[in-house]
PDB file of all heavy atoms in Angstrom:
ATOM      1  N   LYS F   1     110.060  83.494  91.158  1.00  0.00           N
ATOM      2  CA  LYS F   1     108.972  84.369  91.584  1.00  0.00           C
ATOM      3  C   LYS F   1     108.013  84.668  90.430  1.00  0.00           C
ATOM      4  O   LYS F   1     106.793  84.711  90.622  1.00  0.00           O
ATOM      5  CB  LYS F   1     109.544  85.659  92.168  1.00  0.00           C
ATOM      6  CG  LYS F   1     110.244  85.458  93.508  1.00  0.00           C
ATOM      7  CD  LYS F   1     110.568  86.775  94.198  1.00  0.00           C
ATOM      8  CE  LYS F   1     111.694  87.518  93.524  1.00  0.00           C
ATOM      9  NZ  LYS F   1     112.072  88.744  94.275  1.00  0.00           N
ATOM     10  N   LEU F   2     108.556  84.875  89.230  1.00  0.00           N
ATOM     11  CA  LEU F   2     107.695  85.131  88.074  1.00  0.00           C
ATOM     12  C   LEU F   2     106.829  83.920  87.745  1.00  0.00           C
ATOM     13  O   LEU F   2     105.671  84.060  87.339  1.00  0.00           O
ATOM     14  CB  LEU F   2     108.549  85.500  86.856  1.00  0.00           C
ATOM     15  CG  LEU F   2     109.169  86.894  86.842  1.00  0.00           C
ATOM     16  CD1 LEU F   2     110.106  87.034  85.648  1.00  0.00           C
ATOM     17  CD2 LEU F   2     108.106  87.984  86.801  1.00  0.00           C
ATOM     18  N   ASN F   3     107.372  82.729  87.926  1.00  0.00           N
ATOM     19  CA  ASN F   3     106.628  81.511  87.587  1.00  0.00           C
ATOM     20  C   ASN F   3     105.481  81.239  88.553  1.00  0.00           C
ATOM     21  O   ASN F   3     104.402  80.785  88.133  1.00  0.00           O
ATOM     22  CB  ASN F   3     107.577  80.310  87.552  1.00  0.00           C
ATOM     23  CG  ASN F   3     108.441  80.282  86.310  1.00  0.00           C
ATOM     24  OD1 ASN F   3     108.058  80.807  85.271  1.00  0.00           O
ATOM     25  ND2 ASN F   3     109.614  79.672  86.414  1.00  0.00           N
ATOM     26  N   PHE F   4     105.700  81.484  89.836  1.00  0.00           N
ATOM     27  CA  PHE F   4     104.715  81.080  90.836  1.00  0.00           C
ATOM     28  C   PHE F   4     104.017  82.240  91.549  1.00  0.00           C
ATOM     29  O   PHE F   4     102.917  82.073  92.064  1.00  0.00           O
ATOM     30  CB  PHE F   4     105.384  80.179  91.885  1.00  0.00           C
ATOM     31  CG  PHE F   4     105.968  78.921  91.307  1.00  0.00           C
ATOM     32  CD1 PHE F   4     107.339  78.790  91.129  1.00  0.00           C
ATOM     33  CD2 PHE F   4     105.143  77.878  90.922  1.00  0.00           C
ATOM     34  CE1 PHE F   4     107.877  77.632  90.585  1.00  0.00           C
ATOM     35  CE2 PHE F   4     105.668  76.719  90.378  1.00  0.00           C
ATOM     36  CZ  PHE F   4     107.042  76.590  90.211  1.00  0.00           C
ATOM     37  N   GLY F   5     104.660  83.396  91.584  1.00  0.00           N
ATOM     38  CA  GLY F   5     104.137  84.511  92.353  1.00  0.00           C
ATOM     39  C   GLY F   5     102.753  84.998  91.946  1.00  0.00           C
ATOM     40  O   GLY F   5     101.871  85.146  92.815  1.00  0.00           O
ATOM     41  N   PRO F   6     102.505  85.262  90.659  1.00  0.00           N
ATOM     42  CA  PRO F   6     101.167  85.773  90.286  1.00  0.00           C
ATOM     43  C   PRO F   6     100.034  84.844  90.690  1.00  0.00           C
ATOM     44  O   PRO F   6      99.001  85.304  91.204  1.00  0.00           O
ATOM     45  CB  PRO F   6     101.285  85.923  88.762  1.00  0.00           C
ATOM     46  CG  PRO F   6     102.738  86.170  88.521  1.00  0.00           C
ATOM     47  CD  PRO F   6     103.445  85.312  89.532  1.00  0.00           C
ATOM     48  N   PHE F   7     100.207  83.543  90.491  1.00  0.00           N
ATOM     49  CA  PHE F   7      99.153  82.597  90.876  1.00  0.00           C
ATOM     50  C   PHE F   7      98.953  82.592  92.385  1.00  0.00           C
ATOM     51  O   PHE F   7      97.817  82.628  92.881  1.00  0.00           O
ATOM     52  CB  PHE F   7      99.496  81.193  90.386  1.00  0.00           C
ATOM     53  CG  PHE F   7      98.502  80.140  90.833  1.00  0.00           C
ATOM     54  CD1 PHE F   7      97.325  79.941  90.127  1.00  0.00           C
ATOM     55  CD2 PHE F   7      98.738  79.372  91.973  1.00  0.00           C
ATOM     56  CE1 PHE F   7      96.393  78.995  90.545  1.00  0.00           C
ATOM     57  CE2 PHE F   7      97.818  78.431  92.397  1.00  0.00           C
ATOM     58  CZ  PHE F   7      96.647  78.227  91.678  1.00  0.00           C
ATOM     59  N   LEU F   8     100.044  82.531  93.143  1.00  0.00           N
ATOM     60  CA  LEU F   8      99.927  82.476  94.600  1.00  0.00           C
ATOM     61  C   LEU F   8      99.264  83.731  95.157  1.00  0.00           C
ATOM     62  O   LEU F   8      98.412  83.656  96.048  1.00  0.00           O
ATOM     63  CB  LEU F   8     101.311  82.289  95.221  1.00  0.00           C
ATOM     64  CG  LEU F   8     101.977  80.928  94.979  1.00  0.00           C
ATOM     65  CD1 LEU F   8     103.410  80.932  95.506  1.00  0.00           C
ATOM     66  CD2 LEU F   8     101.173  79.805  95.634  1.00  0.00           C
ATOM     67  N   LEU F   9      99.644  84.895  94.615  1.00  0.00           N
ATOM     68  CA  LEU F   9      99.078  86.137  95.120  1.00  0.00           C
ATOM     69  C   LEU F   9      97.602  86.267  94.756  1.00  0.00           C
ATOM     70  O   LEU F   9      96.774  86.663  95.574  1.00  0.00           O
ATOM     71  CB  LEU F   9      99.865  87.332  94.582  1.00  0.00           C
ATOM     72  CG  LEU F   9     101.255  87.519  95.201  1.00  0.00           C
ATOM     73  CD1 LEU F   9     102.085  88.479  94.375  1.00  0.00           C
ATOM     74  CD2 LEU F   9     101.138  88.033  96.631  1.00  0.00           C
ATOM     75  N   ASP F  10      97.263  85.924  93.509  1.00  0.00           N
ATOM     76  CA  ASP F  10      95.883  86.082  93.045  1.00  0.00           C
ATOM     77  C   ASP F  10      94.932  85.045  93.645  1.00  0.00           C
ATOM     78  O   ASP F  10      93.835  85.386  94.110  1.00  0.00           O
ATOM     79  CB  ASP F  10      95.830  85.970  91.517  1.00  0.00           C
ATOM     80  CG  ASP F  10      95.974  87.317  90.824  1.00  0.00           C
ATOM     81  OD1 ASP F  10      95.857  88.345  91.509  1.00  0.00           O
ATOM     82  OD2 ASP F  10      96.204  87.328  89.610  1.00  0.00           O
ATOM     83  N   TYR F  11      95.356  83.776  93.647  1.00  0.00           N
ATOM     84  CA  TYR F  11      94.406  82.693  93.911  1.00  0.00           C
ATOM     85  C   TYR F  11      94.607  81.964  95.245  1.00  0.00           C
ATOM     86  O   TYR F  11      93.701  81.286  95.710  1.00  0.00           O
ATOM     87  CB  TYR F  11      94.453  81.685  92.767  1.00  0.00           C
ATOM     88  CG  TYR F  11      94.063  82.312  91.450  1.00  0.00           C
ATOM     89  CD1 TYR F  11      95.005  82.542  90.456  1.00  0.00           C
ATOM     90  CD2 TYR F  11      92.747  82.697  91.205  1.00  0.00           C
ATOM     91  CE1 TYR F  11      94.651  83.136  89.247  1.00  0.00           C
ATOM     92  CE2 TYR F  11      92.372  83.277  90.008  1.00  0.00           C
ATOM     93  CZ  TYR F  11      93.329  83.500  89.030  1.00  0.00           C
ATOM     94  OH  TYR F  11      92.966  84.092  87.846  1.00  0.00           O
ATOM     95  N   VAL F  12      95.790  82.095  95.842  1.00  0.00           N
ATOM     96  CA  VAL F  12      96.016  81.471  97.147  1.00  0.00           C
ATOM     97  C   VAL F  12      95.882  82.517  98.258  1.00  0.00           C
ATOM     98  O   VAL F  12      95.043  82.393  99.145  1.00  0.00           O
ATOM     99  CB  VAL F  12      97.388  80.774  97.191  1.00  0.00           C
ATOM    100  CG1 VAL F  12      97.629  80.180  98.578  1.00  0.00           C
ATOM    101  CG2 VAL F  12      97.471  79.688  96.118  1.00  0.00           C
ATOM    102  N   LEU F  13      96.704  83.557  98.184  1.00  0.00           N
ATOM    103  CA  LEU F  13      96.596  84.624  99.184  1.00  0.00           C
ATOM    104  C   LEU F  13      95.413  85.537  98.922  1.00  0.00           C
ATOM    105  O   LEU F  13      94.928  86.217  99.827  1.00  0.00           O
ATOM    106  CB  LEU F  13      97.893  85.442  99.196  1.00  0.00           C
ATOM    107  CG  LEU F  13      99.143  84.700  99.648  1.00  0.00           C
ATOM    108  CD1 LEU F  13     100.356  85.614  99.569  1.00  0.00           C
ATOM    109  CD2 LEU F  13      98.981  84.158 101.049  1.00  0.00           C
ATOM    110  N   LYS F  14      94.946  85.554  97.661  1.00  0.00           N
ATOM    111  CA  LYS F  14      93.799  86.379  97.250  1.00  0.00           C
ATOM    112  C   LYS F  14      94.025  87.849  97.583  1.00  0.00           C
ATOM    113  O   LYS F  14      93.133  88.558  98.069  1.00  0.00           O
ATOM    114  CB  LYS F  14      92.508  85.852  97.879  1.00  0.00           C
ATOM    115  CG  LYS F  14      92.158  84.443  97.411  1.00  0.00           C
ATOM    116  CD  LYS F  14      90.852  83.951  97.992  1.00  0.00           C
ATOM    117  CE  LYS F  14      90.548  82.541  97.471  1.00  0.00           C
ATOM    118  NZ  LYS F  14      89.275  82.001  98.016  1.00  0.00           N
ATOM    119  N   LEU F  15      95.240  88.301  97.260  1.00  0.00           N
ATOM    120  CA  LEU F  15      95.588  89.707  97.390  1.00  0.00           C
ATOM    121  C   LEU F  15      95.420  90.369  96.021  1.00  0.00           C
ATOM    122  O   LEU F  15      96.016  89.914  95.048  1.00  0.00           O
ATOM    123  CB  LEU F  15      97.028  89.867  97.874  1.00  0.00           C
ATOM    124  CG  LEU F  15      97.297  89.499  99.335  1.00  0.00           C
ATOM    125  CD1 LEU F  15      98.792  89.425  99.600  1.00  0.00           C
ATOM    126  CD2 LEU F  15      96.650  90.529 100.266  1.00  0.00           C
ATOM    127  N   PRO F  16      94.648  91.448  95.901  1.00  0.00           N
ATOM    128  CA  PRO F  16      94.437  92.070  94.602  1.00  0.00           C
ATOM    129  C   PRO F  16      95.657  92.803  94.077  1.00  0.00           C
ATOM    130  O   PRO F  16      95.752  93.099  92.892  1.00  0.00           O
ATOM    131  CB  PRO F  16      93.284  93.042  94.871  1.00  0.00           C
ATOM    132  CG  PRO F  16      93.377  93.350  96.329  1.00  0.00           C
ATOM    133  CD  PRO F  16      93.863  92.074  96.971  1.00  0.00           C
ATOM    134  N   PHE F  17      96.598  93.108  94.966  1.00  0.00           N
ATOM    135  CA  PHE F  17      97.845  93.768  94.574  1.00  0.00           C
ATOM    136  C   PHE F  17      98.861  93.540  95.677  1.00  0.00           C
ATOM    137  O   PHE F  17      98.520  93.060  96.766  1.00  0.00           O
ATOM    138  CB  PHE F  17      97.638  95.276  94.333  1.00  0.00           C
ATOM    139  CG  PHE F  17      97.018  96.000  95.502  1.00  0.00           C
ATOM    140  CD1 PHE F  17      97.795  96.463  96.556  1.00  0.00           C
ATOM    141  CD2 PHE F  17      95.649  96.230  95.540  1.00  0.00           C
ATOM    142  CE1 PHE F  17      97.231  97.122  97.627  1.00  0.00           C
ATOM    143  CE2 PHE F  17      95.064  96.894  96.611  1.00  0.00           C
ATOM    144  CZ  PHE F  17      95.851  97.336  97.655  1.00  0.00           C
ATOM    145  N   ILE F  18     100.096  93.890  95.396  1.00  0.00           N
ATOM    146  CA  ILE F  18     101.162  93.782  96.392  1.00  0.00           C
ATOM    147  C   ILE F  18     101.740  95.173  96.612  1.00  0.00           C
ATOM    148  O   ILE F  18     101.904  95.943  95.662  1.00  0.00           O
ATOM    149  CB  ILE F  18     102.233  92.770  95.933  1.00  0.00           C
ATOM    150  CG1 ILE F  18     103.281  92.570  97.021  1.00  0.00           C
ATOM    151  CG2 ILE F  18     102.855  93.155  94.612  1.00  0.00           C
ATOM    152  CD1 ILE F  18     104.217  91.415  96.723  1.00  0.00           C
ATOM    153  N   ASP F  19     102.041  95.515  97.856  1.00  0.00           N
ATOM    154  CA  ASP F  19     102.334  96.906  98.201  1.00  0.00           C
ATOM    155  C   ASP F  19     103.471  96.975  99.222  1.00  0.00           C
ATOM    156  O   ASP F  19     103.444  96.251 100.231  1.00  0.00           O
ATOM    157  CB  ASP F  19     101.065  97.540  98.793  1.00  0.00           C
ATOM    158  CG  ASP F  19     101.128  99.051  98.904  1.00  0.00           C
ATOM    159  OD1 ASP F  19     102.237  99.604  98.961  1.00  0.00           O
ATOM    160  OD2 ASP F  19     100.056  99.691  98.943  1.00  0.00           O
ATOM    161  N   PRO F  20     104.471  97.845  99.014  1.00  0.00           N
ATOM    162  CA  PRO F  20     105.516  98.027 100.031  1.00  0.00           C
ATOM    163  C   PRO F  20     104.959  98.472 101.379  1.00  0.00           C
ATOM    164  O   PRO F  20     105.603  98.258 102.413  1.00  0.00           O
ATOM    165  CB  PRO F  20     106.407  99.114  99.425  1.00  0.00           C
ATOM    166  CG  PRO F  20     106.184  99.040  97.959  1.00  0.00           C
ATOM    167  CD  PRO F  20     104.750  98.638  97.805  1.00  0.00           C
ATOM    168  N   ARG F  21     103.761  99.074 101.393  1.00  0.00           N
ATOM    169  CA  ARG F  21     103.166  99.546 102.633  1.00  0.00           C
ATOM    170  C   ARG F  21     102.459  98.449 103.426  1.00  0.00           C
ATOM    171  O   ARG F  21     101.867  98.722 104.477  1.00  0.00           O
ATOM    172  CB  ARG F  21     102.176 100.684 102.349  1.00  0.00           C
ATOM    173  CG  ARG F  21     102.842 101.940 101.852  1.00  0.00           C
ATOM    174  CD  ARG F  21     101.844 103.077 101.672  1.00  0.00           C
ATOM    175  NE  ARG F  21     102.521 104.264 101.169  1.00  0.00           N
ATOM    176  CZ  ARG F  21     103.145 105.159 101.937  1.00  0.00           C
ATOM    177  NH1 ARG F  21     103.152 105.003 103.252  1.00  0.00           N
ATOM    178  NH2 ARG F  21     103.750 106.192 101.401  1.00  0.00           N
ATOM    179  N   PHE F  22     102.517  97.216 102.946  1.00  0.00           N
ATOM    180  CA  PHE F  22     101.914  96.120 103.704  1.00  0.00           C
ATOM    181  C   PHE F  22     102.499  96.023 105.116  1.00  0.00           C
ATOM    182  O   PHE F  22     101.837  95.549 106.037  1.00  0.00           O
ATOM    183  CB  PHE F  22     102.132  94.792 102.979  1.00  0.00           C
ATOM    184  CG  PHE F  22     101.151  94.523 101.876  1.00  0.00           C
ATOM    185  CD1 PHE F  22     101.371  93.470 100.989  1.00  0.00           C
ATOM    186  CD2 PHE F  22     100.018  95.287 101.714  1.00  0.00           C
ATOM    187  CE1 PHE F  22     100.467  93.195  99.963  1.00  0.00           C
ATOM    188  CE2 PHE F  22      99.108  95.028 100.694  1.00  0.00           C
ATOM    189  CZ  PHE F  22      99.337  93.974  99.824  1.00  0.00           C
ATOM    190  N   SER F  23     103.740  96.471 105.269  1.00  0.00           N
ATOM    191  CA  SER F  23     104.376  96.371 106.591  1.00  0.00           C
ATOM    192  C   SER F  23     103.685  97.236 107.631  1.00  0.00           C
ATOM    193  O   SER F  23     103.825  97.001 108.833  1.00  0.00           O
ATOM    194  CB  SER F  23     105.848  96.765 106.490  1.00  0.00           C
ATOM    195  OG  SER F  23     105.988  98.089 105.996  1.00  0.00           O
ATOM    196  N   THR F  24     102.923  98.247 107.194  1.00  0.00           N
ATOM    197  CA  THR F  24     102.201  99.102 108.137  1.00  0.00           C
ATOM    198  C   THR F  24     100.692  98.851 108.082  1.00  0.00           C
ATOM    199  O   THR F  24      99.911  99.657 108.586  1.00  0.00           O
ATOM    200  CB  THR F  24     102.486 100.588 107.852  1.00  0.00           C
ATOM    201  OG1 THR F  24     102.141 100.895 106.486  1.00  0.00           O
ATOM    202  CG2 THR F  24     103.959 100.906 108.071  1.00  0.00           C
ATOM    203  N   ALA F  25     100.297  97.743 107.460  1.00  0.00           N
ATOM    204  CA  ALA F  25      98.878  97.381 107.428  1.00  0.00           C
ATOM    205  C   ALA F  25      98.420  96.976 108.834  1.00  0.00           C
ATOM    206  O   ALA F  25      99.226  96.760 109.745  1.00  0.00           O
ATOM    207  CB  ALA F  25      98.650  96.237 106.451  1.00  0.00           C
ATOM    208  N   ARG F  26      97.117  96.832 109.004  1.00  0.00           N
ATOM    209  CA  ARG F  26      96.591  96.433 110.308  1.00  0.00           C
ATOM    210  C   ARG F  26      97.100  95.046 110.675  1.00  0.00           C
ATOM    211  O   ARG F  26      97.193  94.149 109.832  1.00  0.00           O
ATOM    212  CB  ARG F  26      95.064  96.455 110.280  1.00  0.00           C
ATOM    213  CG  ARG F  26      94.480  97.849 110.065  1.00  0.00           C
ATOM    214  CD  ARG F  26      92.979  97.843 110.169  1.00  0.00           C
ATOM    215  NE  ARG F  26      92.532  97.505 111.512  1.00  0.00           N
ATOM    216  CZ  ARG F  26      91.258  97.455 111.884  1.00  0.00           C
ATOM    217  NH1 ARG F  26      90.304  97.701 110.990  1.00  0.00           N
ATOM    218  NH2 ARG F  26      90.938  97.125 113.121  1.00  0.00           N
ATOM    219  N   PRO F  27      97.472  94.843 111.951  1.00  0.00           N
ATOM    220  CA  PRO F  27      98.018  93.550 112.373  1.00  0.00           C
ATOM    221  C   PRO F  27      97.101  92.387 112.020  1.00  0.00           C
ATOM    222  O   PRO F  27      95.878  92.478 112.112  1.00  0.00           O
ATOM    223  CB  PRO F  27      98.155  93.715 113.889  1.00  0.00           C
ATOM    224  CG  PRO F  27      98.330  95.184 114.081  1.00  0.00           C
ATOM    225  CD  PRO F  27      97.469  95.822 113.035  1.00  0.00           C
ATOM    226  N   PHE F  28      97.745  91.313 111.570  1.00  0.00           N
ATOM    227  CA  PHE F  28      97.111  90.028 111.256  1.00  0.00           C
ATOM    228  C   PHE F  28      96.277  90.048 109.968  1.00  0.00           C
ATOM    229  O   PHE F  28      95.584  89.084 109.678  1.00  0.00           O
ATOM    230  CB  PHE F  28      96.271  89.525 112.452  1.00  0.00           C
ATOM    231  CG  PHE F  28      97.069  89.421 113.713  1.00  0.00           C
ATOM    232  CD1 PHE F  28      96.877  90.312 114.752  1.00  0.00           C
ATOM    233  CD2 PHE F  28      98.055  88.452 113.841  1.00  0.00           C
ATOM    234  CE1 PHE F  28      97.626  90.237 115.912  1.00  0.00           C
ATOM    235  CE2 PHE F  28      98.811  88.365 115.004  1.00  0.00           C
ATOM    236  CZ  PHE F  28      98.604  89.252 116.033  1.00  0.00           C
ATOM    237  N   THR F  29      96.348  91.145 109.211  1.00  0.00           N
ATOM    238  CA  THR F  29      95.791  91.104 107.862  1.00  0.00           C
ATOM    239  C   THR F  29      96.769  90.352 106.950  1.00  0.00           C
ATOM    240  O   THR F  29      97.934  90.126 107.303  1.00  0.00           O
ATOM    241  CB  THR F  29      95.569  92.520 107.317  1.00  0.00           C
ATOM    242  OG1 THR F  29      96.826  93.220 107.293  1.00  0.00           O
ATOM    243  CG2 THR F  29      94.568  93.277 108.173  1.00  0.00           C
ATOM    244  N   LYS F  30      96.281  89.934 105.786  1.00  0.00           N
ATOM    245  CA  LYS F  30      97.133  89.163 104.876  1.00  0.00           C
ATOM    246  C   LYS F  30      98.383  89.942 104.477  1.00  0.00           C
ATOM    247  O   LYS F  30      99.488  89.395 104.440  1.00  0.00           O
ATOM    248  CB  LYS F  30      96.343  88.772 103.634  1.00  0.00           C
ATOM    249  CG  LYS F  30      95.243  87.759 103.875  1.00  0.00           C
ATOM    250  CD  LYS F  30      94.501  87.471 102.584  1.00  0.00           C
ATOM    251  CE  LYS F  30      93.333  86.525 102.820  1.00  0.00           C
ATOM    252  NZ  LYS F  30      92.570  86.283 101.561  1.00  0.00           N
ATOM    253  N   GLY F  31      98.203  91.218 104.156  1.00  0.00           N
ATOM    254  CA  GLY F  31      99.349  92.020 103.756  1.00  0.00           C
ATOM    255  C   GLY F  31     100.377  92.146 104.864  1.00  0.00           C
ATOM    256  O   GLY F  31     101.585  92.030 104.633  1.00  0.00           O
ATOM    257  N   TRP F  32      99.908  92.378 106.082  1.00  0.00           N
ATOM    258  CA  TRP F  32     100.798  92.507 107.236  1.00  0.00           C
ATOM    259  C   TRP F  32     101.568  91.216 107.476  1.00  0.00           C
ATOM    260  O   TRP F  32     102.774  91.230 107.740  1.00  0.00           O
ATOM    261  CB  TRP F  32      99.957  92.871 108.457  1.00  0.00           C
ATOM    262  CG  TRP F  32     100.734  93.058 109.732  1.00  0.00           C
ATOM    263  CD1 TRP F  32     101.355  94.190 110.165  1.00  0.00           C
ATOM    264  CD2 TRP F  32     100.947  92.059 110.749  1.00  0.00           C
ATOM    265  NE1 TRP F  32     101.950  93.974 111.395  1.00  0.00           N
ATOM    266  CE2 TRP F  32     101.716  92.670 111.772  1.00  0.00           C
ATOM    267  CE3 TRP F  32     100.561  90.735 110.887  1.00  0.00           C
ATOM    268  CZ2 TRP F  32     102.100  91.990 112.917  1.00  0.00           C
ATOM    269  CZ3 TRP F  32     100.946  90.051 112.037  1.00  0.00           C
ATOM    270  CH2 TRP F  32     101.705  90.673 113.030  1.00  0.00           C
TER     271      TRP F  32
END
């Protein structure tokens, strides 16, 4: 996860941060 996670989150998923509350994000958003 340390090797690949930062790149995937920043440049593939384009998520500015990762959050435990993503599970309650609006349906069909990237975090959700």
Side-chain angles (χ1 to χ4, degrees):
K1 290 191 288 185
L2 286 174
N3 285 333
F4 300 104
F7 176 83
L8 291 173
L9 287 165
D10 269 346
Y11 299 109
V12 178
L13 295 178
K14 297 182 179 180
L15 288 168
F17 55 84
I18 185 170
D19 193 336
R21 292 184 181 275
F22 278 169
S23 59
T24 56
R26 296 185 65 179
F28 304 108
T29 59
K30 291 179 184 178
W32 181 86

